[in-house]
Amino acid sequence: MSDPLPSILLVDDEAHSLQAMRMALEDDFDCLTALNADEATKIMEEHFVQVIFCDQRMPGRSGVEFLTEVRDRWPETIRVIITGYTETSDMISAINDAGIYQFLTKPWHPDQLVMAAKNAADLFRLNRDHERLSLEMRYLSRNVETKLEEQRKALREGLGFENVLRGPNSPMNAVIAQARQFASFDVPVLISGEPGTGKTALARAMHYGSLRSDRPFHEINCIGVEDEILELELFGARRGAVQGIQTNKVGLLQKADRGTLFINGIADLSPRLQLALMRFARDGSFRPVGGHEVLRSDVRLLTGSSKDLRLEVARGAFRSDLYYALSMAVLAVPSLRARRCDVPLLAQSLLFDAASTHGKPVHGLSDDAVKFLENYDWPGNLRELENEMVRMLIFSQASILGPELISRHILQAAPGDEGTDERLDTVLVGEGTLKDRVEQIEMRILRETLTRLKWNKSRAANELGLSRVGLRAKIDRYGIAEPSRASAGADDEEE
């Protein structure tokens, strides 16, 4: 089906002129005719007209007067005026008042009329396309801005303080409350805590909770990294300054401009890099390796340390001016053993993350497994807990993971009366008779073996080289209680 012809309105008080125009245009246009402005107005109200050819001199309203009304009521319609007069005043009036696209003078040639009509129809189409595209661009722009803001919000929420898991009575709650306060103030913050306690996650949450959340967040760990590599990563380098670098290398201080840079393991910086970082912390200026020019960057510095920087300053291993420049605010992240109430929540979350990563769905941890995990000291903090969850997932055969999957050293590390873990080395070098200390170790081995073997006493006795009677006697002697079962259908003995 072919497209409809463009519609054109022909207005002239002379009938023969209207007939002549119709004959010239009817092959290419859907022609409507009117003998005066009033008739033309009625036609405009009832039809969709793209182009108007109107005579200037007509009884009643002139062509300029009519086209002026058209401009106000139907501004998209392309307006062409036809006149047998060439008074300058008429032309100026038409241009100013009616927004005329083109003049045609009488007598006109049919080819001239057709060409003018086609050009006017093309202009109408182009104007409509332009308006449509403009509307689409405005809509798309608003849509993109909305989606971008939604993405930013999701990013802030996904990487913000809500991502730092903790229980309702967790010691982390006070730390998070302080971090929220510090986040909204553009000051350097030192985050201290043992390795694996989540200093990077806290620094990232502070960035996404700050006014710089729309800008980049970068991080670098200085522990165990050579001085030259750290210098390149932090400050960048000019082409040819270092062997193997054929182009200018942009450092993190430049990449993080108007954003945040988290430098973990800050205590491991050499004196030379401490001095260079001090210059940047003082006035935001630095020199790339091999460069002579001084660059500037607006970066918020967050730093992390597992060492007590005050002690490092006291013993001369860390610059005091840099310490005070970086520690306008200080956050101390507690170890995992200081937040045992968070272990169940963290363990379940890390287990589900591992299950999603490795494509092995599980339903969670049994209550007995959680108790063992909660009672352990976790010297490796969150990293060690994450490793343990992955290990348990790998060896799991059921959807609920029981204590038999837990590593042996964790099962053996039963808590003392105060809830603190008495480690093997503590027992070995501690006080007490040989008999008492040996019995402590024996009790741990028994508990670990029974738990790992799901309290199958026959298998436990066989592994430990005991008779079943001897194993029962030791269980009774040490008061080792069998934990509640995850499923009532399991039998603990092989008869």
Side-chain angles (χ1 to χ4, degrees), residues 1 53 111 209 213 260 304 346 419 493:
M1 182 177 179
F53 278 18
D111 291 342
S213 60
T260 304
L346 292 167
E493 293 193 31

Side-chain angles (χ1 to χ4, degrees), residues 64 67-72 75 77-81 91-103 123:
V64 168
L67 293 180
T68 300
E69 179 189 4
V70 171
R71 183 198 63 184
D72 295 336
T77 302
I78 306 300
R79 300 168 293 280
V80 179
I81 199 163
M91 295 189 206
I92 294 175
S93 176
I95 291 172
N96 293 337
D97 297 338
I100 299 301
Y101 163 65
Q102 188 175 357
F103 285 91
L123 179 60

Side-chain angles (χ1 to χ4, degrees), residues 283-297:
D283 57 20
S285 64
F286 66 97
R287 276 194 179 93
V289 176
H292 301 290
E293 76 280 22
V294 175
L295 302 180
R296 290 188 172 275
S297 184

Side-chain angles (χ1 to χ4, degrees), residues 40-247:
T41 300
K42 291 179 181 179
I43 291 175
M44 289 294 296
E45 291 172 345
E46 297 175 358
H47 295 81
F48 176 68
V49 176
Q50 299 181 17
V51 180
I52 295 178
F53 278 18
C54 182
D55 187 27
Q56 164 61 4
R57 296 298 180 100
M58 297 185 299
R61 285 185 293 166
S62 68
V64 168
E65 291 172 337
F66 168 64
L67 293 180
T68 300
E69 179 189 4
V70 171
R71 183 198 63 184
D72 295 336
R73 295 182 62 182
W74 301 280
E76 293 181 338
T77 302
I78 306 300
R79 300 168 293 280
V80 179
I81 199 163
I82 302 174
T83 179
Y85 304 89
T86 56
E87 290 92 347
T88 305
S89 60
D90 282 348
M91 295 189 206
I92 294 175
S93 176
I95 291 172
N96 293 337
D97 297 338
I100 299 301
Y101 163 65
Q102 188 175 357
F103 285 91
L104 291 178
T105 57
K106 294 180 179 179
W108 41 262
H109 190 279
D111 291 342
Q112 178 190 17
L113 190 71
V114 172
M115 182 60 67
K118 287 183 176 180
N119 289 341
D122 287 343
L123 179 60
F124 178 88
R125 178 180 54 78
L126 290 173
N127 286 343
R128 290 293 295 265
D129 289 346
H130 179 267
E131 182 180 357
R132 177 179 55 80
L133 289 173
S134 296
L135 288 172
E136 289 178 357
M137 288 300 295
R138 285 197 294 271
Y139 169 77
L140 289 173
S141 178
R142 288 194 299 269
N143 199 32
V144 168
E145 289 177 2
T146 301
K147 288 185 177 179
L148 184 59
E149 182 54 36
E150 289 175 353
Q151 290 174 353
R152 288 170 176 168
K153 182 180 178 182
L155 192 62
R156 286 193 295 269
E157 292 176 351
L159 299 174
F161 294 107
E162 296 77 8
N163 198 44
V164 183
L165 294 179
R166 69 270 186 199
N169 299 316
S170 171
M172 277 297 293
N173 291 334
V175 178
I176 295 299
Q178 285 185 318
R180 287 184 187 274
Q181 291 291 107
F182 294 150
S184 58
F185 289 86
D186 206 16
V187 297
V189 179
L190 171 64
I191 304 174
S192 64
E194 295 179 5
T197 50
K199 296 187 289 294
T200 301
L202 187 59
R204 186 180 290 109
M206 291 182 66
H207 168 73
Y208 287 106
S210 73
L211 297 176
R212 297 175 180 255
S213 60
D214 290 340
R215 306 304 301 173
F217 173 83
H218 291 278
E219 59 181 283
I220 185 172
N221 196 325
C222 304
I223 299 175
V225 183
E226 295 181 2
D227 226 28
E228 294 76 11
I229 296 176
L230 276 178
E231 187 175 20
L232 288 175
E233 291 298 320
L234 284 171
F235 302 101
R238 288 293 173 246
R239 182 176 57 187
V242 179
Q243 186 176 4
I245 297 182
Q246 303 301 324
T247 59

Side-chain angles (χ1 to χ4, degrees), residues 446 449 457-468 470-471 474:
L446 284 170
T449 304
K457 298 186 183 70
S458 296
R459 292 179 59 193
N462 183 61
E463 180 176 312
L464 295 172
L466 298 171
S467 66
R468 289 178 47 144
L471 176 63
K474 289 183 180 294

Side-chain angles (χ1 to χ4, degrees), residues 237-468:
R238 288 293 173 246
R239 182 176 57 187
V242 179
Q243 186 176 4
I245 297 182
Q246 303 301 324
T247 59
N248 290 338
K249 177 178 176 58
V250 178
L252 290 177
L253 291 177
Q254 192 171 348
K255 288 181 181 179
D257 186 29
R258 293 186 289 169
T260 304
L261 175 60
F262 176 58
I263 307 177
N264 202 4
I266 191 72
D268 284 35
L269 282 185
S270 68
R272 182 171 64 86
L273 289 186
Q274 289 181 36
L275 176 60
L277 189 61
M278 178 60 213
R279 290 170 180 161
F280 179 79
R282 182 181 59 226
D283 57 20
S285 64
F286 66 97
R287 276 194 179 93
V289 176
H292 301 290
E293 76 280 22
V294 175
L295 302 180
R296 290 188 172 275
S297 184
D298 174 21
V299 176
R300 183 186 189 184
L301 288 177
L302 302 179
T303 52
S305 177
S306 58
K307 299 178 182 178
D308 189 336
L309 281 189
R310 290 173 299 181
L311 296 180
E312 296 298 300
V313 170
R315 71 183 187 88
F318 199 83
R319 295 178 62 97
S320 60
D321 53 357
L322 180 58
Y323 168 73
Y324 291 113
L326 299 177
S327 61
M328 193 171 295
V330 179
L331 286 171
V333 182
S335 64
L336 197 52
R337 64 181 170 276
R339 42 185 296 213
R340 292 180 187 274
C341 60
D342 293 342
V343 170
L345 177 65
L346 292 167
Q348 297 276 15
S349 176
L350 291 170
L351 175 62
F352 291 140
D353 288 345
S356 175
T357 300
H358 298 285
K360 187 177 182 180
V362 293
H363 292 162
L365 298 162
S366 71
D367 292 340
D368 295 332
V370 170
K371 289 177 183 176
F372 277 99
L373 298 174
E374 196 172 8
N375 288 333
Y376 181 58
D377 264 1
W378 300 106
N381 293 295
L382 293 172
R383 294 174 189 165
E384 185 181 7
L385 179 59
E386 181 180 9
N387 291 347
E388 184 65 23
M389 292 303 100
V390 173
R391 180 189 173 279
M392 291 178 66
L393 176 73
I394 291 172
F395 288 104
S396 65
Q397 299 295 324
S399 59
I400 299 295
L401 280 61
E404 70 279 358
L405 298 171
I406 298 175
S407 296
R408 300 181 69 170
H409 68 281
I410 297 176
L411 293 176
Q412 291 175 5
D417 293 337
E418 282 104 21
T420 58
D421 178 32
E422 296 181 26
R423 300 184 180 283
L424 179 61
D425 54 359
T426 304
V427 175
L428 293 175
V429 300
E431 298 180 355
T433 65
L434 175 63
K435 180 176 179 294
D436 292 339
R437 290 154 69 186
V438 169
E439 285 182 346
Q440 289 186 49
I441 296 174
E442 186 177 54
M443 179 179 63
R444 294 188 182 192
I445 293 173
L446 284 170
R447 180 185 289 109
E448 178 271 323
T449 304
L450 287 164
T451 302
R452 176 166 46 82
L453 298 178
K454 300 183 180 181
W455 277 77
N456 187 314
K457 298 186 183 70
S458 296
R459 292 179 59 193
N462 183 61
E463 180 176 312
L464 295 172
L466 298 171
S467 66
R468 289 178 47 144

